[in-house]
Coordinates of all heavy atoms in Angstrom, one line a residue:
M26 N 114.4 33.4 81.1 CA 115.8 33.7 81.5 C 115.8 34.2 83.0 O 114.9 34.9 83.4 CB 116.4 34.7 80.6 CG 117.8 35.1 81.0 SD 118.6 36.4 80.0 CE 118.8 35.5 78.5
K27 N 116.7 33.7 83.7 CA 116.8 34.1 85.2 C 117.7 35.3 85.2 O 118.8 35.4 84.6 CB 117.5 33.0 86.0 CG 116.6 31.7 86.0 CD 115.8 31.6 87.3 CE 115.2 30.3 87.5 NZ 113.9 30.1 86.7
C28 N 117.3 36.3 86.1 CA 118.2 37.5 86.3 C 119.5 37.1 87.0 O 119.5 36.4 88.0 CB 117.4 38.4 87.2 SG 118.4 39.9 87.6
P29 N 120.6 37.5 86.4 CA 121.9 37.1 87.0 C 122.2 37.8 88.3 O 123.1 37.4 89.0 CB 122.9 37.5 85.9 CG 122.2 38.6 85.1 CD 120.8 38.3 85.2
Y30 N 121.4 38.8 88.7 CA 121.6 39.5 89.9 C 120.8 38.9 91.1 O 121.3 38.6 92.1 CB 121.3 41.0 89.7 CG 122.2 41.7 88.8 CD1 121.9 41.7 87.4 CD2 123.4 42.2 89.2 CE1 122.7 42.3 86.5 CE2 124.3 42.8 88.3 CZ 123.9 42.8 86.9 OH 124.8 43.4 86.0
C31 N 119.4 38.8 90.8 CA 118.6 38.3 91.9 C 118.1 36.9 91.7 O 117.4 36.3 92.6 CB 117.4 39.3 92.1 SG 116.2 39.2 90.7
K32 N 118.4 36.3 90.5 CA 118.0 34.9 90.1 C 116.5 34.7 89.9 O 116.1 33.6 89.8 CB 118.6 33.9 91.2 CG 120.0 34.1 91.6 CD 121.0 33.9 90.4 CE 122.4 34.1 90.9 NZ 123.3 34.4 89.8
K33 N 115.7 35.8 89.9 CA 114.3 35.6 89.7 C 114.1 35.5 88.1 O 114.9 36.0 87.4 CB 113.5 36.7 90.3 CG 113.5 36.6 91.8 CD 112.6 37.7 92.4 CE 112.6 37.6 93.9 NZ 112.3 38.9 94.6
E34 N 112.9 35.0 87.8 CA 112.6 34.9 86.3 C 112.4 36.3 85.7 O 111.7 37.1 86.3 CB 111.3 34.0 86.2 CG 111.1 33.6 84.8 CD 112.2 32.6 84.2 OE1 112.7 31.8 85.0 OE2 112.5 32.8 83.0
M35 N 113.0 36.5 84.6 CA 112.9 37.8 83.9 C 111.7 37.8 83.0 O 111.2 36.8 82.6 CB 114.2 38.2 83.1 CG 115.4 38.2 84.0 SD 116.9 38.7 83.1 CE 116.8 40.4 83.3
E36 N 111.2 39.0 82.7 CA 110.0 39.2 81.8 C 110.5 39.3 80.4 O 111.4 40.1 80.1 CB 109.2 40.4 82.2 CG 108.5 40.3 83.5 CD 107.7 41.6 83.8 OE1 106.9 42.0 83.0 OE2 108.0 42.2 84.8
L37 N 109.9 38.6 79.5 CA 110.2 38.6 78.1 C 109.5 39.8 77.4 O 108.3 40.1 77.7 CB 109.8 37.3 77.4 CG 109.9 37.3 75.9 CD1 111.4 37.4 75.5 CD2 109.3 36.0 75.3
G38 N 110.2 40.6 76.6 CA 109.6 41.7 75.9 C 110.5 42.1 74.8 O 111.3 41.3 74.3
F39 N 110.4 43.3 74.3 CA 111.3 43.8 73.2 C 111.5 45.3 73.4 O 110.8 46.0 74.0 CB 110.7 43.4 71.9 CG 109.3 43.9 71.6 CD1 109.1 45.1 71.0 CD2 108.2 43.2 72.0 CE1 107.9 45.7 70.8 CE2 106.9 43.7 71.7 CZ 106.8 44.9 71.1
I40 N 112.6 45.7 72.7 CA 112.9 47.1 72.6 C 112.8 47.5 71.1 O 113.4 46.8 70.3 CB 114.3 47.4 73.1 CG1 114.3 47.2 74.6 CG2 114.7 48.9 72.8 CD1 115.7 47.2 75.2
Q41 N 112.1 48.5 70.8 CA 112.0 48.9 69.4 C 112.3 50.3 69.2 O 112.3 51.1 70.1 CB 110.6 48.5 68.8 CG 109.5 49.3 69.3 CD 108.2 48.8 68.7 OE1 107.1 49.1 69.3 NE2 108.2 48.2 67.6
S42 N 112.7 50.6 68.0 CA 113.2 52.0 67.6 C 112.9 52.3 66.2 O 112.9 51.3 65.3 CB 114.7 52.1 67.9 OG 115.2 53.2 67.4
P43 N 112.7 53.5 65.8 CA 112.6 53.9 64.4 C 114.0 53.9 63.7 O 114.1 54.2 62.5 CB 111.9 55.2 64.4 CG 112.2 55.8 65.7 CD 112.4 54.7 66.7
Q44 N 115.0 53.8 64.5 CA 116.4 53.8 64.0 C 117.0 52.4 64.3 O 116.5 51.6 65.1 CB 117.2 54.8 64.8 CG 116.7 56.2 64.8 CD 116.7 56.9 63.4 OE1 117.5 56.6 62.6 NE2 115.7 57.7 63.2
E45 N 118.2 52.1 63.7 CA 119.0 51.0 64.0 C 119.2 50.9 65.5 O 119.4 52.0 66.1 CB 120.3 51.1 63.2 CG 121.4 50.2 63.6 CD 122.7 50.7 63.0 OE1 123.0 50.3 61.8 OE2 123.4 51.5 63.6
I46 N 119.2 49.7 66.1 CA 119.6 49.6 67.5 C 121.0 49.0 67.6 O 121.2 48.0 67.0 CB 118.6 48.7 68.3 CG1 117.2 49.3 68.2 CG2 119.0 48.5 69.7 CD1 116.1 48.3 68.7
S47 N 121.9 49.7 68.3 CA 123.2 49.3 68.4 C 123.9 49.6 69.7 O 123.4 50.5 70.4 CB 124.1 49.9 67.2 OG 124.2 51.3 67.4
W48 N 124.9 48.8 70.0 CA 125.7 49.1 71.2 C 127.0 49.8 70.7 O 127.6 49.3 69.7 CB 126.1 47.8 71.9 CG 127.0 48.0 73.1 CD1 126.6 48.2 74.4 CD2 128.4 48.0 73.1 NE1 127.7 48.3 75.2 CE2 128.8 48.1 74.4 CE3 129.4 47.8 72.1 CZ2 130.2 48.2 74.8 CZ3 130.7 47.8 72.4 CH2 131.1 48.0 73.8
K49 N 127.4 50.9 71.3 CA 128.6 51.6 70.9 C 129.6 51.7 72.0 O 129.2 51.9 73.2 CB 128.2 53.0 70.4 CG 127.5 53.0 69.1 CD 127.1 54.3 68.6 CE 126.3 54.2 67.3 NZ 125.0 54.9 67.5
K50 N 130.8 51.5 71.7 CA 131.9 51.4 72.7 C 132.2 52.8 73.3 O 132.1 53.8 72.6 CB 133.1 50.9 72.0 CG 134.2 50.4 72.8 CD 135.3 49.8 71.9 CE 136.4 49.2 72.7 NZ 137.4 48.5 71.9
G51 N 132.6 52.7 74.6 CA 133.0 54.0 75.3 C 132.0 54.5 76.3 O 130.9 54.0 76.4
D52 N 132.5 55.5 77.0 CA 131.6 56.1 78.1 C 131.1 57.5 77.7 O 130.5 58.1 78.6 CB 132.3 56.0 79.4 CG 133.6 56.9 79.4 OD1 133.9 57.4 78.4 OD2 134.2 57.0 80.5
K53 N 131.4 57.9 76.5 CA 130.9 59.2 76.1 C 129.8 59.0 75.1 O 129.9 58.1 74.3 CB 132.0 60.0 75.5 CG 133.1 60.4 76.5 CD 134.1 61.4 75.9 CE 135.1 61.9 76.9 NZ 135.9 60.8 77.6
R54 N 128.8 59.9 75.2 CA 127.7 59.7 74.2 C 128.2 60.2 72.9 O 128.5 61.4 72.7 CB 126.5 60.6 74.7 CG 125.3 60.4 73.9 CD 124.2 61.1 74.5 NE 123.0 61.2 73.6 CZ 121.8 61.6 74.0 NH1 121.6 61.9 75.2 NH2 120.9 61.6 73.1
P55 N 128.2 59.3 71.9 CA 128.7 59.8 70.5 C 127.6 60.6 69.8 O 126.4 60.5 70.2 CB 128.9 58.4 69.8 CG 128.0 57.5 70.5 CD 127.8 57.9 71.9
L56 N 128.0 61.2 68.8 CA 127.0 61.9 67.9 C 126.1 60.8 67.3 O 126.6 59.7 67.2 CB 127.7 62.7 66.8 CG 128.6 63.8 67.3 CD1 129.3 64.4 66.1 CD2 127.7 64.9 67.9
L57 N 124.9 61.1 67.0 CA 124.0 60.2 66.4 C 124.7 59.7 65.1 O 125.4 60.4 64.4 CB 122.7 60.8 66.0 CG 121.7 60.9 67.2 CD1 120.5 61.6 66.8 CD2 121.3 59.5 67.7
G58 N 124.5 58.4 64.8 CA 125.1 57.9 63.6 C 125.0 56.4 63.6 O 124.9 55.8 64.7
R59 N 125.1 55.8 62.4 CA 125.0 54.4 62.4 C 126.3 53.7 63.0 O 127.3 54.3 62.9 CB 124.8 53.9 60.9 CG 123.5 54.5 60.4 CD 123.3 54.1 58.9 NE 123.3 52.7 58.8 CZ 123.4 52.1 57.6 NH1 123.5 52.8 56.5 NH2 123.4 50.8 57.5
A60 N 126.1 52.5 63.5 CA 127.1 51.8 64.2 C 128.3 51.6 63.3 O 129.5 51.5 63.7 CB 126.6 50.4 64.6
Q61 N 128.1 51.4 62.0 CA 129.2 51.2 61.1 C 130.3 52.3 61.1 O 131.4 52.0 60.7 CB 128.7 50.9 59.6 CG 128.2 52.2 59.0 CD 127.7 51.9 57.5 OE1 126.5 51.7 57.3 NE2 128.6 51.9 56.6
F62 N 129.9 53.4 61.6 CA 130.9 54.5 61.7 C 131.6 54.6 63.0 O 132.3 55.5 63.3 CB 130.2 55.9 61.3 CG 129.5 55.9 60.0 CD1 128.2 56.0 59.8 CD2 130.3 55.7 58.8 CE1 127.6 56.0 58.6 CE2 129.7 55.6 57.6 CZ 128.4 55.8 57.5
H63 N 131.2 53.7 63.9 CA 131.8 53.7 65.3 C 132.6 52.4 65.5 O 132.0 51.3 65.5 CB 130.7 53.9 66.4 CG 130.0 55.2 66.3 ND1 130.5 56.3 66.9 CD2 128.9 55.5 65.6 CE1 129.6 57.3 66.6 NE2 128.7 56.8 65.8
E64 N 133.9 52.5 65.6 CA 134.7 51.3 65.8 C 134.3 50.5 67.0 O 134.0 51.1 68.1 CB 136.2 51.7 65.9 CG 137.1 50.5 65.8 CD 138.6 50.9 66.0 OE1 138.9 52.2 65.8 OE2 139.4 50.1 66.3
G65 N 134.2 49.2 66.9 CA 133.9 48.3 68.0 C 132.5 48.2 68.3 O 132.1 47.5 69.3
S66 N 131.6 48.8 67.5 CA 130.2 48.8 67.8 C 129.6 47.4 67.4 O 130.1 46.7 66.6 CB 129.5 49.9 67.1 OG 129.6 49.8 65.8
V67 N 128.4 47.1 68.0 CA 127.7 45.9 67.7 C 126.2 46.3 67.3 O 125.6 46.9 68.1 CB 127.6 44.9 68.9 CG1 126.8 43.7 68.6 CG2 129.0 44.5 69.3
I68 N 125.8 45.9 66.1 CA 124.5 46.1 65.7 C 123.6 45.1 66.3 O 123.8 43.9 66.1 CB 124.4 46.1 64.1 CG1 125.2 47.3 63.6 CG2 122.9 46.2 63.7 CD1 125.3 47.2 62.1
L69 N 122.6 45.5 67.0 CA 121.6 44.6 67.7 C 120.4 44.3 66.8 O 119.8 43.2 66.8 CB 121.2 45.1 69.0 CG 122.4 45.4 70.0 CD1 121.8 46.1 71.3 CD2 123.2 44.2 70.3
S70 N 120.0 45.3 66.0 CA 118.9 45.1 65.1 C 119.1 46.1 63.9 O 119.2 47.3 64.1 CB 117.6 45.4 65.7 OG 116.5 45.2 64.7
E71 N 119.2 45.5 62.7 CA 119.3 46.4 61.5 C 118.0 47.1 61.3 O 117.0 46.6 61.7 CB 119.6 45.5 60.3 CG 120.8 44.6 60.3 CD 122.0 45.4 59.8 OE1 121.9 46.5 59.4 OE2 123.1 44.7 59.7
L72 N 118.1 48.3 60.7 CA 116.9 49.0 60.4 C 116.1 48.5 59.2 O 116.8 48.2 58.2 CB 117.2 50.5 60.2 CG 116.0 51.4 59.9 CD1 115.1 51.5 61.1 CD2 116.5 52.8 59.6
S73 N 114.9 48.2 59.4 CA 114.0 47.9 58.2 C 113.1 49.1 58.0 O 112.5 49.6 59.0 CB 113.1 46.7 58.5 OG 112.0 46.6 57.7
F74 N 113.0 49.6 56.8 CA 112.2 50.8 56.5 C 110.7 50.6 56.8 O 110.0 51.5 57.2 CB 112.4 51.3 55.1 CG 113.7 52.0 55.0 CD1 114.8 51.3 54.3 CD2 113.9 53.2 55.5 CE1 116.0 51.9 54.2 CE2 115.2 53.8 55.4 CZ 116.2 53.2 54.7
L75 N 110.3 49.3 56.7 CA 108.9 49.0 57.0 C 108.6 48.7 58.4 O 107.6 49.1 59.0 CB 108.4 47.8 56.1 CG 108.3 48.1 54.6 CD1 107.9 46.8 53.9 CD2 107.3 49.2 54.3
K76 N 109.6 48.0 59.1 CA 109.3 47.5 60.4 C 110.1 48.3 61.5 O 109.9 48.0 62.7 CB 109.7 46.0 60.5 CG 108.8 45.2 59.6 CD 109.1 43.7 59.7 CE 110.4 43.3 59.1 NZ 110.6 41.8 59.1
G77 N 111.0 49.2 61.1 CA 111.9 49.8 62.1 C 112.9 48.8 62.6 O 113.3 47.9 61.9
A78 N 113.3 48.9 63.9 CA 114.2 47.9 64.4 C 113.7 47.4 65.8 O 113.0 48.2 66.5 CB 115.6 48.6 64.6
A79 N 113.9 46.2 66.1 CA 113.4 45.7 67.4 C 114.3 44.5 67.8 O 114.7 43.7 66.9 CB 112.0 45.2 67.3
V80 N 114.5 44.4 69.1 CA 115.3 43.2 69.6 C 114.5 42.7 70.8 O 113.9 43.4 71.6 CB 116.7 43.6 70.1 CG1 117.6 43.8 68.9 CG2 116.7 44.8 71.0
T81 N 114.6 41.3 71.0 CA 114.1 40.7 72.2 C 114.9 41.1 73.4 O 116.1 41.2 73.3 CB 114.2 39.2 72.0 OG1 113.5 38.8 70.9 CG2 113.7 38.4 73.2
A82 N 114.3 41.4 74.5 CA 115.0 41.9 75.7 C 114.2 41.3 76.9 O 113.0 41.2 76.9 CB 115.0 43.4 75.7
F83 N 115.0 41.0 77.9 CA 114.5 40.4 79.2 C 114.7 41.5 80.2 O 115.7 42.1 80.4 CB 115.3 39.2 79.6 CG 115.0 38.0 78.6 CD1 115.7 37.8 77.5 CD2 114.0 37.1 78.9 CE1 115.5 36.8 76.6 CE2 113.7 36.1 78.1 CZ 114.5 35.9 76.9
L84 N 113.6 41.7 81.0 CA 113.5 42.8 82.0 C 113.5 42.2 83.4 O 112.7 41.3 83.7 CB 112.3 43.6 81.7 CG 112.0 44.7 82.7 CD1 112.8 46.0 82.3 CD2 110.5 45.0 82.8
C85 N 114.2 42.8 84.4 CA 114.0 42.6 85.8 C 113.6 43.9 86.4 O 114.4 44.8 86.5 CB 115.3 42.0 86.5 SG 115.0 41.7 88.2
R86 N 112.4 44.0 86.8 CA 111.9 45.2 87.4 C 112.5 45.5 88.8 O 112.7 46.6 89.2 CB 110.4 45.2 87.6 CG 109.6 45.1 86.3 CD 108.1 45.0 86.5 NE 107.5 44.6 85.3 CZ 107.0 45.4 84.4 NH1 107.0 46.7 84.7 NH2 106.4 45.0 83.3
E87 N 112.9 44.4 89.5 CA 113.5 44.5 90.8 C 114.9 45.2 90.8 O 115.2 46.1 91.5 CB 113.5 43.2 91.5 CG 113.5 43.2 93.0 CD 112.8 42.0 93.5 OE1 111.7 41.7 93.1 OE2 113.4 41.4 94.5
C88 N 115.7 44.6 89.9 CA 117.1 45.1 89.7 C 117.2 46.2 88.7 O 118.3 46.8 88.6 CB 118.0 43.9 89.3 SG 117.9 42.5 90.5
K89 N 116.1 46.5 88.0 CA 116.2 47.6 87.0 C 117.2 47.3 85.9 O 118.1 48.1 85.5 CB 116.5 49.0 87.6 CG 115.5 49.3 88.8 CD 114.3 50.0 88.3 CE 113.5 50.6 89.4 NZ 112.8 49.7 90.2
K90 N 117.2 46.0 85.5 CA 118.2 45.6 84.4 C 117.5 45.1 83.2 O 116.4 44.5 83.3 CB 119.1 44.4 85.0 CG 119.9 44.7 86.2 CD 121.0 45.7 86.0 CE 121.8 45.9 87.3 NZ 122.7 47.0 87.2
V91 N 118.1 45.2 82.1 CA 117.6 44.7 80.8 C 118.7 43.9 80.2 O 119.9 44.4 80.1 CB 117.1 45.8 79.9 CG1 116.8 45.3 78.5 CG2 115.9 46.5 80.5
I92 N 118.4 42.7 79.7 CA 119.4 41.9 79.0 C 119.0 41.6 77.6 O 117.8 41.2 77.3 CB 119.6 40.5 79.7 CG1 120.2 40.8 81.1 CG2 120.5 39.6 78.9 CD1 120.5 39.5 81.9
I93 N 119.9 41.9 76.7 CA 119.7 41.6 75.2 C 120.8 40.6 74.9 O 122.0 40.9 75.0 CB 119.9 42.8 74.4 CG1 118.8 43.9 74.8 CG2 119.8 42.5 72.9 CD1 119.1 45.2 74.2
E94 N 120.3 39.4 74.4 CA 121.3 38.4 74.0 C 121.5 38.4 72.5 O 120.6 37.9 71.8 CB 120.8 37.0 74.5 CG 121.9 36.0 74.2 CD 121.6 34.6 74.9 OE1 120.6 34.5 75.6 OE2 122.4 33.7 74.6
Y95 N 122.5 39.1 72.1 CA 122.6 39.3 70.6 C 123.3 38.2 69.9 O 123.3 38.2 68.6 CB 123.3 40.7 70.3 CG 124.8 40.7 70.6 CD1 125.7 40.4 69.6 CD2 125.3 41.1 71.8 CE1 127.1 40.5 69.8 CE2 126.6 41.2 72.1 CZ 127.5 40.9 71.1 OH 128.9 40.9 71.3
S96 N 123.8 37.2 70.6 CA 124.3 36.0 69.8 C 123.2 35.2 69.3 O 123.4 34.4 68.3 CB 125.1 35.1 70.8 OG 124.3 34.5 71.8
D97 N 122.0 35.3 69.9 CA 120.8 34.6 69.4 C 120.2 35.4 68.2 O 119.7 36.5 68.4 CB 119.8 34.5 70.6 CG 118.6 33.8 70.2 OD1 118.5 33.3 69.0 OD2 117.7 33.6 71.0
E98 N 120.2 34.7 67.0 CA 119.7 35.5 65.9 C 118.2 35.7 66.0 O 117.7 36.6 65.3 CB 120.1 34.7 64.6 CG 119.4 33.4 64.4 CD 119.9 32.7 63.1 OE1 120.9 33.1 62.6 OE2 119.1 31.8 62.7
N99 N 117.6 35.0 66.9 CA 116.1 35.3 67.1 C 115.9 36.6 67.9 O 114.8 37.0 68.1 CB 115.5 34.1 67.8 CG 115.3 32.9 66.9 OD1 115.2 33.0 65.7 ND2 115.5 31.8 67.5
S100 N 117.0 37.2 68.4 CA 116.9 38.4 69.2 C 116.5 39.6 68.2 O 115.7 40.4 68.6 CB 118.2 38.7 69.9 OG 118.0 39.8 70.7
D101 N 117.1 39.6 67.0 CA 116.8 40.6 66.1 C 115.5 40.3 65.3 O 115.5 39.4 64.5 CB 118.0 40.8 65.1 CG 117.8 42.0 64.2 OD1 116.7 42.5 64.0 OD2 118.8 42.3 63.5
F102 N 114.5 41.1 65.5 CA 113.2 40.8 64.9 C 113.3 40.8 63.3 O 112.6 40.1 62.6 CB 112.2 41.8 65.3 CG 111.5 41.5 66.6 CD1 112.2 41.4 67.7 CD2 110.1 41.4 66.6 CE1 111.6 41.1 69.0 CE2 109.5 41.1 67.8 CZ 110.2 41.0 69.0
N103 N 114.2 41.6 62.8 CA 114.4 41.7 61.4 C 115.1 40.6 60.7 O 115.2 40.5 59.5 CB 115.0 43.1 61.0 CG 114.1 44.2 61.4 OD1 112.9 44.0 61.4 ND2 114.6 45.4 61.6
Q104 N 115.8 39.7 61.6 CA 116.4 38.5 61.0 C 115.5 37.3 61.0 O 115.9 36.3 60.5 CB 117.7 38.2 61.9 CG 118.7 39.3 62.0 CD 119.4 39.5 60.6 OE1 119.8 38.6 59.9 NE2 119.4 40.8 60.2
R105 N 114.3 37.5 61.5 CA 113.4 36.3 61.6 C 112.7 36.1 60.2 O 112.4 37.1 59.5 CB 112.3 36.6 62.6 CG 112.9 36.6 64.0 CD 111.9 36.9 65.1 NE 112.5 37.1 66.3 CZ 111.9 37.5 67.4 NH1 110.6 37.7 67.4 NH2 112.6 37.6 68.6
Ligands
ZN221 ZN1 116.9 40.9 89.2

């Protein structure tokens, strides 16, 4: 994937967590809690008790950006 800012090739990797990985709406840091309790949230990786949660992510070190394409079901390691 090309970086949308500098157009250079991004590095493929992943982000993992011992908790569900989700995007939550708003600019205030919510209390910890699962996405299902936050309106408008998007679950990027469901939690697996054995594997944790992980999503494919592309990194640009130059622009300090990370992109997670969540429409791609291959992004969520637990959906594979
Ligand atoms: Zn870049």
Side-chain angles (χ1 to χ4, degrees):
M26 179 182 288
K27 297 263 191 274
C28 175
Y30 296 89
C31 70
K32 312 298 183 201
K33 289 182 182 158
E34 195 61 38
M35 300 183 88
E36 289 178 60
L37 175 63
F39 58 92
I40 294 172
Q41 65 182 162
S42 168
Q44 308 290 330
E45 167 192 272
I46 300 172
S47 64
W48 177 90
K49 293 180 183 122
K50 196 172 180 174
D52 61 357
K53 293 187 174 60
R54 184 173 171 170
L56 295 173
L57 279 174
R59 295 177 62 191
Q61 69 182 96
F62 302 118
H63 297 272
E64 193 183 340
S66 62
V67 175
I68 295 171
L69 304 175
S70 180
E71 301 271 5
L72 180 63
S73 156
F74 285 105
L75 291 176
K76 299 186 282 185
V80 287
T81 300
F83 292 86
L84 176 87
C85 180
R86 293 176 196 267
E87 206 147 313
C88 302
K89 310 272 194 286
K90 304 288 185 190
V91 172
I92 291 180
I93 297 168
E94 188 171 354
Y95 73 92
S96 67
D97 180 0
E98 64 184 21
N99 291 326
S100 183
D101 183 348
F102 277 59
N103 293 334
Q104 298 295 312
R105 294 177 189 175

